[in-house]
Amino acid sequence: MKTTTRQSYATRIERARDYLLGHLDEDIDLAHIARAANFSPYHFHRVYVAVIGETMAETVRRNRLNRAAIKLLTTATPVLLLARGAG
């Protein structure tokens, strides 16, 4: 893969990842995000995994759990509420 293509893919995937991280509480639609990054859903998923090293679902789950762990340490929010919020 050419360096310019690789850079373009990385930039597009980073924008998609930033969107995911900013919308953790919403239902994530692969097709919508793939279109926004100008990929087909299939190609987006392959490129996302190659660039990020995990699936989009794993990124969302890991970040939701990380956020819940921080809240568990820093707030008095009941564990059940944190667990529900983390999905």
Side-chain angles (χ1 to χ4, degrees):
M1 183 183 308
K2 289 180 168 178
T3 302
T4 56
T5 302
R6 197 175 328 208
Q7 290 170 339
S8 171
Y9 280 15
T11 299
R12 291 157 55 190
I13 293 297
E14 281 300 317
R15 273 197 319 254
R17 190 178 71 80
D18 290 345
Y19 175 86
L20 288 174
L21 297 179
H23 296 86
L24 288 174
D25 293 322
E26 300 172 18
D27 288 332
I28 305 298
D29 179 31
L30 173 67
H32 172 75
I33 294 173
R35 273 192 311 275
N38 205 25
F39 288 113
S40 71
Y42 172 77
H43 194 61
F44 172 78
H45 186 265
R46 286 179 354 108
V47 174
Y48 188 92
V49 171
V51 171
I52 302 297
E54 63 186 2
T55 67
M56 197 172 77
E58 290 169 335
T59 298
V60 170
R61 183 176 32 257
R62 182 176 50 77
N63 281 280
R64 284 178 178 167
L65 290 172
N66 185 51
R67 183 179 61 187
I70 291 168
K71 286 182 180 179
L72 185 60
L73 293 172
T74 60
T75 70
T77 306
V79 174
L80 184 58
L81 290 178
L82 294 175
R84 284 186 183 147

